[in-house]
mmCIF file of all heavy atoms in Angstrom:
data_model
loop_
_atom_site.group_PDB
_atom_site.id
_atom_site.type_symbol
_atom_site.label_atom_id
_atom_site.label_comp_id
_atom_site.label_asym_id
_atom_site.label_seq_id
_atom_site.Cartn_x
_atom_site.Cartn_y
_atom_site.Cartn_z
ATOM 1 N N GLU A 1 0.833 -1.203 0.000
ATOM 2 C CA GLU A 1 0.000 0.000 0.000
ATOM 3 C C GLU A 1 0.871 1.258 0.000
ATOM 4 O O GLU A 1 0.654 2.184 -0.778
ATOM 5 C CB GLU A 1 -0.929 -0.019 1.214
ATOM 6 C CG GLU A 1 -1.994 1.045 1.160
ATOM 7 C CD GLU A 1 -3.015 0.886 2.278
ATOM 8 O OE1 GLU A 1 -3.513 -0.244 2.485
ATOM 9 O OE2 GLU A 1 -3.298 1.905 2.936
ATOM 10 N N LYS A 2 1.882 1.273 0.846
ATOM 11 C CA LYS A 2 2.786 2.433 0.907
ATOM 12 C C LYS A 2 3.634 2.541 -0.356
ATOM 13 O O LYS A 2 3.860 3.642 -0.865
ATOM 14 C CB LYS A 2 3.695 2.334 2.128
ATOM 15 C CG LYS A 2 2.962 2.565 3.428
ATOM 16 C CD LYS A 2 3.903 2.451 4.611
ATOM 17 C CE LYS A 2 3.159 2.662 5.920
ATOM 18 N NZ LYS A 2 4.050 2.498 7.082
ATOM 19 N N PHE A 3 4.096 1.405 -0.873
ATOM 20 C CA PHE A 3 4.917 1.444 -2.082
ATOM 21 C C PHE A 3 4.123 1.978 -3.275
ATOM 22 O O PHE A 3 4.611 2.830 -4.024
ATOM 23 C CB PHE A 3 5.488 0.067 -2.421
ATOM 24 C CG PHE A 3 6.113 0.027 -3.789
ATOM 25 C CD1 PHE A 3 7.271 0.738 -4.057
ATOM 26 C CD2 PHE A 3 5.516 -0.689 -4.814
ATOM 27 C CE1 PHE A 3 7.839 0.741 -5.332
ATOM 28 C CE2 PHE A 3 6.075 -0.691 -6.089
ATOM 29 C CZ PHE A 3 7.232 0.021 -6.345
ATOM 30 N N VAL A 4 2.911 1.493 -3.465
ATOM 31 C CA VAL A 4 2.102 1.941 -4.606
ATOM 32 C C VAL A 4 1.816 3.443 -4.498
ATOM 33 O O VAL A 4 1.891 4.168 -5.504
ATOM 34 C CB VAL A 4 0.802 1.111 -4.726
ATOM 35 C CG1 VAL A 4 -0.166 1.731 -5.723
ATOM 36 C CG2 VAL A 4 1.137 -0.322 -5.142
ATOM 37 N N ALA A 5 1.543 3.926 -3.289
ATOM 38 C CA ALA A 5 1.323 5.368 -3.114
ATOM 39 C C ALA A 5 2.586 6.157 -3.485
ATOM 40 O O ALA A 5 2.510 7.204 -4.131
ATOM 41 C CB ALA A 5 0.916 5.660 -1.668
ATOM 42 N N GLU A 6 3.745 5.639 -3.099
ATOM 43 C CA GLU A 6 5.005 6.310 -3.421
ATOM 44 C C GLU A 6 5.285 6.240 -4.925
ATOM 45 O O GLU A 6 5.748 7.214 -5.531
ATOM 46 C CB GLU A 6 6.154 5.697 -2.609
ATOM 47 C CG GLU A 6 7.452 6.427 -2.704
ATOM 48 C CD GLU A 6 7.456 7.828 -2.078
ATOM 49 O OE1 GLU A 6 6.383 8.390 -1.768
ATOM 50 O OE2 GLU A 6 8.544 8.384 -1.943
ATOM 51 N N ALA A 7 4.990 5.106 -5.548
ATOM 52 C CA ALA A 7 5.159 4.977 -6.999
ATOM 53 C C ALA A 7 4.258 5.977 -7.726
ATOM 54 O O ALA A 7 4.700 6.629 -8.686
ATOM 55 C CB ALA A 7 4.855 3.551 -7.448
ATOM 56 N N GLU A 8 3.032 6.113 -7.271
ATOM 57 C CA GLU A 8 2.114 7.087 -7.881
ATOM 58 C C GLU A 8 2.652 8.507 -7.735
ATOM 59 O O GLU A 8 2.509 9.324 -8.637
ATOM 60 C CB GLU A 8 0.731 6.992 -7.259
ATOM 61 C CG GLU A 8 -0.030 5.758 -7.673
ATOM 62 C CD GLU A 8 -1.383 5.619 -6.975
ATOM 63 O OE1 GLU A 8 -1.635 6.324 -5.963
ATOM 64 O OE2 GLU A 8 -2.179 4.794 -7.442
ATOM 65 N N ARG A 9 3.283 8.788 -6.616
ATOM 66 C CA ARG A 9 3.830 10.129 -6.376
ATOM 67 C C ARG A 9 4.966 10.459 -7.337
ATOM 68 O O ARG A 9 5.039 11.561 -7.876
ATOM 69 C CB ARG A 9 4.335 10.240 -4.925
ATOM 70 C CG ARG A 9 4.892 11.627 -4.573
ATOM 71 C CD ARG A 9 5.529 11.659 -3.191
ATOM 72 N NE ARG A 9 6.820 10.998 -3.142
ATOM 73 C CZ ARG A 9 7.980 11.533 -3.541
ATOM 74 N NH1 ARG A 9 8.018 12.746 -4.062
ATOM 75 N NH2 ARG A 9 9.111 10.847 -3.445
ATOM 76 N N VAL A 10 5.866 9.512 -7.575
ATOM 77 C CA VAL A 10 7.068 9.823 -8.360
ATOM 78 C C VAL A 10 6.929 9.561 -9.861
ATOM 79 O O VAL A 10 7.702 10.099 -10.646
ATOM 80 C CB VAL A 10 8.315 9.091 -7.810
ATOM 81 C CG1 VAL A 10 8.556 9.480 -6.355
ATOM 82 C CG2 VAL A 10 8.228 7.597 -7.967
ATOM 83 N N LEU A 11 5.962 8.738 -10.262
ATOM 84 C CA LEU A 11 5.792 8.469 -11.691
ATOM 85 C C LEU A 11 5.214 9.674 -12.426
ATOM 86 O O LEU A 11 4.354 10.393 -11.906
ATOM 87 C CB LEU A 11 4.864 7.274 -11.914
ATOM 88 C CG LEU A 11 5.492 5.904 -11.808
ATOM 89 C CD1 LEU A 11 4.408 4.821 -11.804
ATOM 90 C CD2 LEU A 11 6.490 5.644 -12.923
ATOM 91 N N LYS A 12 5.688 9.868 -13.647
ATOM 92 C CA LYS A 12 5.088 10.873 -14.523
ATOM 93 C C LYS A 12 3.682 10.412 -14.897
ATOM 94 O O LYS A 12 3.346 9.227 -14.786
ATOM 95 C CB LYS A 12 5.910 11.009 -15.809
ATOM 96 C CG LYS A 12 7.271 11.625 -15.605
ATOM 97 C CD LYS A 12 8.037 11.702 -16.925
ATOM 98 C CE LYS A 12 9.391 12.316 -16.731
ATOM 99 N NZ LYS A 12 10.174 12.331 -17.988
ATOM 100 N N LEU A 13 2.876 11.334 -15.388
ATOM 101 C CA LEU A 13 1.557 10.991 -15.901
ATOM 102 C C LEU A 13 1.728 9.909 -16.969
ATOM 103 O O LEU A 13 2.567 10.052 -17.868
ATOM 104 C CB LEU A 13 0.888 12.230 -16.494
ATOM 105 C CG LEU A 13 -0.520 12.031 -17.045
ATOM 106 C CD1 LEU A 13 -1.487 11.657 -15.916
ATOM 107 C CD2 LEU A 13 -0.984 13.295 -17.746
ATOM 108 N N ASN A 14 1.002 8.832 -16.869
ATOM 109 C CA ASN A 14 1.085 7.684 -17.774
ATOM 110 C C ASN A 14 2.422 6.950 -17.697
ATOM 111 O O ASN A 14 2.804 6.250 -18.638
ATOM 112 C CB ASN A 14 0.779 8.076 -19.227
ATOM 113 C CG ASN A 14 -0.642 8.544 -19.385
ATOM 114 O OD1 ASN A 14 -1.553 7.981 -18.790
ATOM 115 N ND2 ASN A 14 -0.837 9.600 -20.155
ATOM 116 N N GLY A 15 3.123 7.112 -16.582
ATOM 117 C CA GLY A 15 4.345 6.351 -16.369
ATOM 118 C C GLY A 15 4.019 4.876 -16.180
ATOM 119 O O GLY A 15 2.857 4.486 -16.056
ATOM 120 N N THR A 16 5.036 4.055 -16.149
ATOM 121 C CA THR A 16 4.856 2.607 -16.084
ATOM 122 C C THR A 16 5.472 2.035 -14.813
ATOM 123 O O THR A 16 6.624 2.330 -14.494
ATOM 124 C CB THR A 16 5.502 1.940 -17.314
ATOM 125 O OG1 THR A 16 4.861 2.439 -18.493
ATOM 126 C CG2 THR A 16 5.375 0.422 -17.260
ATOM 127 N N LEU A 17 4.686 1.209 -14.128
ATOM 128 C CA LEU A 17 5.161 0.437 -12.996
ATOM 129 C C LEU A 17 5.150 -1.018 -13.424
ATOM 130 O O LEU A 17 4.092 -1.562 -13.749
ATOM 131 C CB LEU A 17 4.261 0.642 -11.776
ATOM 132 C CG LEU A 17 4.526 -0.266 -10.569
ATOM 133 C CD1 LEU A 17 5.941 -0.094 -10.044
ATOM 134 C CD2 LEU A 17 3.495 0.014 -9.478
ATOM 135 N N ALA A 18 6.314 -1.639 -13.465
ATOM 136 C CA ALA A 18 6.429 -3.042 -13.889
ATOM 137 C C ALA A 18 6.954 -3.873 -12.721
ATOM 138 O O ALA A 18 8.105 -3.718 -12.313
ATOM 139 C CB ALA A 18 7.362 -3.159 -15.091
ATOM 140 N N ILE A 19 6.084 -4.730 -12.180
ATOM 141 C CA ILE A 19 6.464 -5.636 -11.096
ATOM 142 C C ILE A 19 6.448 -7.040 -11.685
ATOM 143 O O ILE A 19 5.436 -7.475 -12.234
ATOM 144 C CB ILE A 19 5.485 -5.543 -9.914
ATOM 145 C CG1 ILE A 19 5.500 -4.126 -9.331
ATOM 146 C CG2 ILE A 19 5.825 -6.572 -8.850
ATOM 147 C CD1 ILE A 19 4.477 -3.899 -8.232
ATOM 148 N N PHE A 20 7.562 -7.727 -11.575
ATOM 149 C CA PHE A 20 7.656 -9.062 -12.161
ATOM 150 C C PHE A 20 8.637 -9.893 -11.371
ATOM 151 O O PHE A 20 9.355 -9.382 -10.503
ATOM 152 C CB PHE A 20 8.089 -8.978 -13.637
ATOM 153 C CG PHE A 20 9.334 -8.166 -13.832
ATOM 154 C CD1 PHE A 20 10.577 -8.774 -13.812
ATOM 155 C CD2 PHE A 20 9.264 -6.785 -14.013
ATOM 156 C CE1 PHE A 20 11.734 -8.022 -13.976
ATOM 157 C CE2 PHE A 20 10.422 -6.027 -14.179
ATOM 158 C CZ PHE A 20 11.659 -6.649 -14.164
ATOM 159 N N GLY A 21 8.672 -11.145 -11.658
ATOM 160 C CA GLY A 21 9.608 -12.028 -10.980
ATOM 161 C C GLY A 21 9.584 -13.395 -11.615
ATOM 162 O O GLY A 21 8.874 -13.641 -12.582
ATOM 163 N N TYR A 22 10.347 -14.244 -11.041
ATOM 164 C CA TYR A 22 10.357 -15.637 -11.454
ATOM 165 C C TYR A 22 10.132 -16.447 -10.191
ATOM 166 O O TYR A 22 10.555 -16.051 -9.108
ATOM 167 C CB TYR A 22 11.681 -16.023 -12.120
ATOM 168 C CG TYR A 22 12.892 -15.639 -11.306
ATOM 169 C CD1 TYR A 22 13.326 -16.432 -10.249
ATOM 170 C CD2 TYR A 22 13.572 -14.463 -11.574
ATOM 171 C CE1 TYR A 22 14.419 -16.062 -9.493
ATOM 172 C CE2 TYR A 22 14.668 -14.094 -10.818
ATOM 173 C CZ TYR A 22 15.075 -14.894 -9.783
ATOM 174 O OH TYR A 22 16.154 -14.523 -9.025
ATOM 175 N N THR A 23 9.419 -17.499 -10.326
ATOM 176 C CA THR A 23 9.259 -18.344 -9.149
ATOM 177 C C THR A 23 10.092 -19.581 -9.356
ATOM 178 O O THR A 23 11.054 -19.790 -8.664
ATOM 179 C CB THR A 23 7.797 -18.710 -8.861
ATOM 180 O OG1 THR A 23 7.259 -19.393 -9.965
ATOM 181 C CG2 THR A 23 6.979 -17.494 -8.550
ATOM 182 N N GLY A 24 9.717 -20.400 -10.303
ATOM 183 C CA GLY A 24 10.465 -21.610 -10.539
ATOM 184 C C GLY A 24 10.480 -22.496 -9.315
ATOM 185 O O GLY A 24 11.080 -23.560 -9.297
ATOM 186 N N PHE A 25 9.836 -22.045 -8.277
ATOM 187 C CA PHE A 25 9.843 -22.744 -7.009
ATOM 188 C C PHE A 25 8.753 -23.802 -7.031
ATOM 189 O O PHE A 25 7.575 -23.492 -6.981
ATOM 190 C CB PHE A 25 9.598 -21.751 -5.871
ATOM 191 C CG PHE A 25 9.745 -22.355 -4.516
ATOM 192 C CD1 PHE A 25 10.999 -22.533 -3.964
ATOM 193 C CD2 PHE A 25 8.640 -22.753 -3.801
ATOM 194 C CE1 PHE A 25 11.137 -23.083 -2.711
ATOM 195 C CE2 PHE A 25 8.772 -23.307 -2.553
ATOM 196 C CZ PHE A 25 10.032 -23.473 -2.004
ATOM 197 N N GLY A 26 9.154 -25.051 -7.143
ATOM 198 C CA GLY A 26 8.177 -26.125 -7.138
ATOM 199 C C GLY A 26 7.390 -26.224 -8.419
ATOM 200 O O GLY A 26 6.188 -26.452 -8.403
ATOM 201 N N HIS A 27 8.068 -26.051 -9.538
ATOM 202 C CA HIS A 27 7.373 -26.186 -10.817
ATOM 203 C C HIS A 27 8.068 -27.256 -11.649
ATOM 204 O O HIS A 27 9.208 -27.087 -12.060
ATOM 205 C CB HIS A 27 7.345 -24.860 -11.560
ATOM 206 C CG HIS A 27 6.571 -24.929 -12.832
ATOM 207 N ND1 HIS A 27 5.226 -25.192 -12.856
ATOM 208 C CD2 HIS A 27 6.954 -24.802 -14.110
ATOM 209 C CE1 HIS A 27 4.811 -25.214 -14.120
ATOM 210 N NE2 HIS A 27 5.854 -24.976 -14.887
ATOM 211 N N PHE A 28 7.360 -28.329 -11.851
ATOM 212 C CA PHE A 28 7.875 -29.460 -12.629
ATOM 213 C C PHE A 28 7.009 -29.581 -13.877
ATOM 214 O O PHE A 28 5.883 -30.075 -13.820
ATOM 215 C CB PHE A 28 7.809 -30.753 -11.798
ATOM 216 C CG PHE A 28 8.630 -30.679 -10.541
ATOM 217 C CD1 PHE A 28 8.109 -30.146 -9.375
ATOM 218 C CD2 PHE A 28 9.943 -31.123 -10.528
ATOM 219 C CE1 PHE A 28 8.861 -30.067 -8.218
ATOM 220 C CE2 PHE A 28 10.708 -31.052 -9.385
ATOM 221 C CZ PHE A 28 10.165 -30.522 -8.214
ATOM 222 N N VAL A 29 7.523 -29.099 -14.986
ATOM 223 C CA VAL A 29 6.754 -28.981 -16.222
ATOM 224 C C VAL A 29 6.038 -30.269 -16.609
ATOM 225 O O VAL A 29 4.851 -30.258 -16.908
ATOM 226 C CB VAL A 29 7.659 -28.489 -17.375
ATOM 227 C CG1 VAL A 29 6.894 -28.465 -18.678
ATOM 228 C CG2 VAL A 29 8.243 -27.127 -17.053
ATOM 229 N N ASP A 30 6.724 -31.375 -16.585
ATOM 230 C CA ASP A 30 6.127 -32.629 -17.044
ATOM 231 C C ASP A 30 5.508 -33.470 -15.926
ATOM 232 O O ASP A 30 5.002 -34.557 -16.186
ATOM 233 C CB ASP A 30 7.183 -33.469 -17.774
ATOM 234 C CG ASP A 30 7.658 -32.776 -19.037
ATOM 235 O OD1 ASP A 30 6.836 -32.112 -19.700
ATOM 236 O OD2 ASP A 30 8.863 -32.883 -19.360
ATOM 237 N N HIS A 31 5.563 -32.965 -14.714
ATOM 238 C CA HIS A 31 5.068 -33.746 -13.581
ATOM 239 C C HIS A 31 4.286 -32.864 -12.614
ATOM 240 O O HIS A 31 4.754 -32.560 -11.513
ATOM 241 C CB HIS A 31 6.231 -34.432 -12.858
ATOM 242 C CG HIS A 31 7.049 -35.289 -13.764
ATOM 243 N ND1 HIS A 31 6.642 -36.539 -14.173
ATOM 244 C CD2 HIS A 31 8.240 -35.058 -14.369
ATOM 245 C CE1 HIS A 31 7.555 -37.054 -14.979
ATOM 246 N NE2 HIS A 31 8.527 -36.168 -15.121
ATOM 247 N N PRO A 32 3.071 -32.460 -12.992
ATOM 248 C CA PRO A 32 2.296 -31.550 -12.140
ATOM 249 C C PRO A 32 1.998 -32.131 -10.753
ATOM 250 O O PRO A 32 1.847 -31.378 -9.793
ATOM 251 C CB PRO A 32 1.015 -31.306 -12.929
ATOM 252 C CG PRO A 32 0.956 -32.374 -13.951
ATOM 253 C CD PRO A 32 2.364 -32.813 -14.205
ATOM 254 N N GLN A 33 1.951 -33.442 -10.632
ATOM 255 C CA GLN A 33 1.716 -34.026 -9.311
ATOM 256 C C GLN A 33 2.866 -33.702 -8.362
ATOM 257 O O GLN A 33 2.670 -33.578 -7.151
ATOM 258 C CB GLN A 33 1.477 -35.549 -9.402
ATOM 259 C CG GLN A 33 2.690 -36.384 -9.766
ATOM 260 C CD GLN A 33 3.009 -36.464 -11.262
ATOM 261 O OE1 GLN A 33 2.535 -35.669 -12.067
ATOM 262 N NE2 GLN A 33 3.836 -37.426 -11.637
ATOM 263 N N CYS A 34 4.066 -33.537 -8.919
ATOM 264 C CA CYS A 34 5.215 -33.158 -8.096
ATOM 265 C C CYS A 34 5.090 -31.710 -7.608
ATOM 266 O O CYS A 34 5.547 -31.384 -6.510
ATOM 267 C CB CYS A 34 6.516 -33.334 -8.864
ATOM 268 S SG CYS A 34 6.919 -35.057 -9.177
ATOM 269 N N ASP A 35 4.475 -30.842 -8.430
ATOM 270 C CA ASP A 35 4.239 -29.465 -8.002
ATOM 271 C C ASP A 35 3.489 -29.442 -6.678
ATOM 272 O O ASP A 35 3.874 -28.742 -5.741
ATOM 273 C CB ASP A 35 3.411 -28.691 -9.036
ATOM 274 C CG ASP A 35 4.201 -28.269 -10.252
ATOM 275 O OD1 ASP A 35 5.390 -28.603 -10.348
ATOM 276 O OD2 ASP A 35 3.603 -27.588 -11.107
ATOM 277 N N ALA A 36 2.405 -30.192 -6.621
ATOM 278 C CA ALA A 36 1.569 -30.213 -5.419
ATOM 279 C C ALA A 36 2.342 -30.721 -4.205
ATOM 280 O O ALA A 36 2.272 -30.133 -3.116
ATOM 281 C CB ALA A 36 0.326 -31.063 -5.655
ATOM 282 N N ILE A 37 3.109 -31.776 -4.377
ATOM 283 C CA ILE A 37 3.882 -32.341 -3.266
ATOM 284 C C ILE A 37 4.949 -31.351 -2.811
ATOM 285 O O ILE A 37 5.104 -31.087 -1.611
ATOM 286 C CB ILE A 37 4.529 -33.687 -3.682
ATOM 287 C CG1 ILE A 37 3.454 -34.734 -3.934
ATOM 288 C CG2 ILE A 37 5.519 -34.158 -2.623
ATOM 289 C CD1 ILE A 37 3.959 -35.983 -4.647
ATOM 290 N N PHE A 38 5.660 -30.788 -3.765
ATOM 291 C CA PHE A 38 6.747 -29.870 -3.427
ATOM 292 C C PHE A 38 6.216 -28.611 -2.744
ATOM 293 O O PHE A 38 6.782 -28.137 -1.766
ATOM 294 C CB PHE A 38 7.541 -29.520 -4.684
ATOM 295 C CG PHE A 38 8.833 -28.818 -4.393
ATOM 296 C CD1 PHE A 38 9.907 -29.518 -3.873
ATOM 297 C CD2 PHE A 38 8.973 -27.468 -4.634
ATOM 298 C CE1 PHE A 38 11.111 -28.878 -3.600
ATOM 299 C CE2 PHE A 38 10.170 -26.821 -4.357
ATOM 300 C CZ PHE A 38 11.240 -27.536 -3.844
ATOM 301 N N ARG A 39 5.117 -28.070 -3.278
ATOM 302 C CA ARG A 39 4.537 -26.866 -2.675
ATOM 303 C C ARG A 39 4.035 -27.154 -1.266
ATOM 304 O O ARG A 39 4.239 -26.363 -0.352
ATOM 305 C CB ARG A 39 3.415 -26.297 -3.539
ATOM 306 C CG ARG A 39 3.946 -25.577 -4.747
ATOM 307 C CD ARG A 39 2.810 -25.024 -5.618
ATOM 308 N NE ARG A 39 3.357 -24.399 -6.790
ATOM 309 C CZ ARG A 39 3.663 -23.104 -6.868
ATOM 310 N NH1 ARG A 39 3.465 -22.322 -5.837
ATOM 311 N NH2 ARG A 39 4.165 -22.602 -7.972
ATOM 312 N N ASP A 40 3.393 -28.302 -1.074
ATOM 313 C CA ASP A 40 2.906 -28.658 0.262
ATOM 314 C C ASP A 40 4.073 -28.762 1.234
ATOM 315 O O ASP A 40 4.039 -28.205 2.332
ATOM 316 C CB ASP A 40 2.126 -29.971 0.218
ATOM 317 C CG ASP A 40 1.656 -30.407 1.594
ATOM 318 O OD1 ASP A 40 1.081 -29.561 2.316
ATOM 319 O OD2 ASP A 40 1.875 -31.575 1.955
ATOM 320 N N PHE A 41 5.114 -29.447 0.846
ATOM 321 C CA PHE A 41 6.253 -29.634 1.731
ATOM 322 C C PHE A 41 7.086 -28.353 1.869
ATOM 323 O O PHE A 41 7.476 -27.967 2.960
ATOM 324 C CB PHE A 41 7.146 -30.777 1.228
ATOM 325 C CG PHE A 41 8.240 -31.109 2.200
ATOM 326 C CD1 PHE A 41 7.991 -31.908 3.303
ATOM 327 C CD2 PHE A 41 9.512 -30.598 2.019
ATOM 328 C CE1 PHE A 41 8.988 -32.190 4.223
ATOM 329 C CE2 PHE A 41 10.524 -30.879 2.925
ATOM 330 C CZ PHE A 41 10.263 -31.680 4.033
ATOM 331 N N GLY A 42 7.343 -27.704 0.741
ATOM 332 C CA GLY A 42 8.254 -26.557 0.739
ATOM 333 C C GLY A 42 7.685 -25.263 1.266
ATOM 334 O O GLY A 42 8.390 -24.511 1.946
ATOM 335 N N VAL A 43 6.438 -24.969 0.973
ATOM 336 C CA VAL A 43 5.861 -23.698 1.410
ATOM 337 C C VAL A 43 4.526 -23.857 2.122
ATOM 338 O O VAL A 43 3.947 -22.872 2.560
ATOM 339 C CB VAL A 43 5.701 -22.699 0.237
ATOM 340 C CG1 VAL A 43 7.047 -22.296 -0.307
ATOM 341 C CG2 VAL A 43 4.820 -23.241 -0.855
ATOM 342 N N GLY A 44 4.032 -25.065 2.216
ATOM 343 C CA GLY A 44 2.750 -25.305 2.876
ATOM 344 C C GLY A 44 2.765 -24.902 4.344
ATOM 345 O O GLY A 44 3.821 -24.892 4.987
ATOM 346 N N PRO A 45 1.595 -24.589 4.894
ATOM 347 C CA PRO A 45 1.515 -24.073 6.269
ATOM 348 C C PRO A 45 1.878 -25.085 7.360
ATOM 349 O O PRO A 45 2.182 -24.686 8.480
ATOM 350 C CB PRO A 45 0.055 -23.644 6.401
ATOM 351 C CG PRO A 45 -0.672 -24.455 5.381
ATOM 352 C CD PRO A 45 0.290 -24.673 4.253
ATOM 353 N N THR A 46 1.883 -26.370 7.046
ATOM 354 C CA THR A 46 2.175 -27.365 8.089
ATOM 355 C C THR A 46 3.573 -27.955 8.005
ATOM 356 O O THR A 46 3.955 -28.744 8.856
ATOM 357 C CB THR A 46 1.153 -28.524 8.029
ATOM 358 O OG1 THR A 46 1.272 -29.162 6.758
ATOM 359 C CG2 THR A 46 -0.262 -28.012 8.240
ATOM 360 N N LYS A 47 4.335 -27.568 7.002
ATOM 361 C CA LYS A 47 5.677 -28.147 6.848
ATOM 362 C C LYS A 47 6.727 -27.046 6.945
ATOM 363 O O LYS A 47 6.886 -26.448 7.992
ATOM 364 C CB LYS A 47 5.748 -28.898 5.525
ATOM 365 C CG LYS A 47 4.582 -29.892 5.325
ATOM 366 C CD LYS A 47 4.981 -31.301 5.466
ATOM 367 C CE LYS A 47 3.909 -32.341 5.317
ATOM 368 N NZ LYS A 47 2.549 -32.085 5.076
ATOM 369 N N LEU A 48 7.424 -26.733 5.862
ATOM 370 C CA LEU A 48 8.491 -25.731 5.907
ATOM 371 C C LEU A 48 8.002 -24.290 5.717
ATOM 372 O O LEU A 48 8.745 -23.351 5.992
ATOM 373 C CB LEU A 48 9.549 -26.047 4.844
ATOM 374 C CG LEU A 48 10.309 -27.358 5.039
ATOM 375 C CD1 LEU A 48 11.278 -27.573 3.889
ATOM 376 C CD2 LEU A 48 11.042 -27.370 6.365
#
């Protein structure tokens, strides 16, 4: 909330805010069942 307000303050009229990233965290292209297991274990609320 504070960052977006600050971005609005400093950007020119019609300026661009680009927020992006990569996750790659727990993504197995050919094995979606592994995604679910990895996400549950790696970032799930009951494990890590």
